[in-house]
Amino acid sequence: KTNGTLYCWGSDSSGQLGNGATTGNQVSPVQESTAATDWASVADGNLNDHTCALKTNGTLYCWGSDASGQLGNGATTGNQVSPVSIGPVWASVATGSSNTCAIATGGGALYCWGANSNGQLGGVPYGDSPVFSDVCGVINSVEYHAGSFFYNTTSNVLQYCDGAGWVRAGR
């Protein structure tokens, strides 16, 4: 809404409405569970199984099905029925059926996570990473610096380079 509140409706089999539950079909708008008033934009998964939204300060939140790691919270099990912060600061977000991509602020690097069965992630991450002095390492001939994200397909975890090493992103 214009006042910064976020409402969702439709299927809620995986918690994708963010209302704190899995209520089945919701035929009228219901406010997401945090009742925040600073939402800027929202994107829902192609099959409506997960939702991600940006707040006005650039904080990204995702909720719903996490079967393929599409929430970016470092997990691939269960449903997240309330918004969870995926961190640091983002400029925009887009969702696919089981994947999510977001553009980071401060350089415009594109990061993607979740299912990659058809190459929908375009590389991990895809795009130019912000240039920082601290290097976390080289993966597949790409040098990763502080502020970079990397989706570890072996452990199905979104990792963040904090300048000293890789740490799990999200919760």
Side-chain angles (χ1 to χ4, degrees):
K1 295 180 92 174
T2 57
N3 66 3
T5 57
L6 177 62
Y7 288 78
C8 298
W9 56 93
S11 175
D12 194 24
S13 58
S14 301
Q16 61 267 46
L17 300 185
N19 61 1
T22 53
T23 58
N25 292 333
Q26 180 67 38
V27 297
S28 59
V30 60
Q31 189 171 13
E32 57 76 31
S33 63
T34 70
T37 59
D38 58 344
W39 295 107
S41 65
V42 65
D44 68 329
N46 186 33
L47 299 174
N48 297 321
D49 66 343
H50 77 291
T51 305
C52 293
L54 281 172
K55 290 196 167 194
T56 55
N57 67 1
T59 307
L60 175 63
Y61 288 79
C62 295
W63 58 91
S65 173
D66 199 22
S68 299
Q70 63 265 43
L71 300 185
N73 63 3
T76 57
T77 58
N79 298 325
Q80 178 63 46
V81 297
S82 297
V84 173
S85 176
I86 309 302
V89 181
W90 304 95
S92 64
V93 64
T95 56
S97 65
S98 295
N99 62 294
T100 303
C101 292
I103 298 174
T105 59
L110 174 65
Y111 298 94
C112 297
W113 54 90
N116 195 31
S117 57
N118 296 307
Q120 58 266 47
L121 300 185
V124 186
Y126 175 78
D128 296 325
S129 296
V131 177
F132 294 93
S133 59
D134 298 317
V135 177
C136 277
V138 177
I139 303 170
N140 297 328
S141 302
V142 176
E143 184 174 84
Y144 291 89
H145 299 269
S148 297
F149 281 84
F150 177 80
Y151 186 76
N152 185 327
T153 58
T154 303
S155 59
N156 291 321
V157 172
L158 180 65
Q159 297 174 317
Y160 174 72
C161 174
D162 68 0
W166 293 104
V167 294
R168 181 178 172 162
R171 293 184 182 199

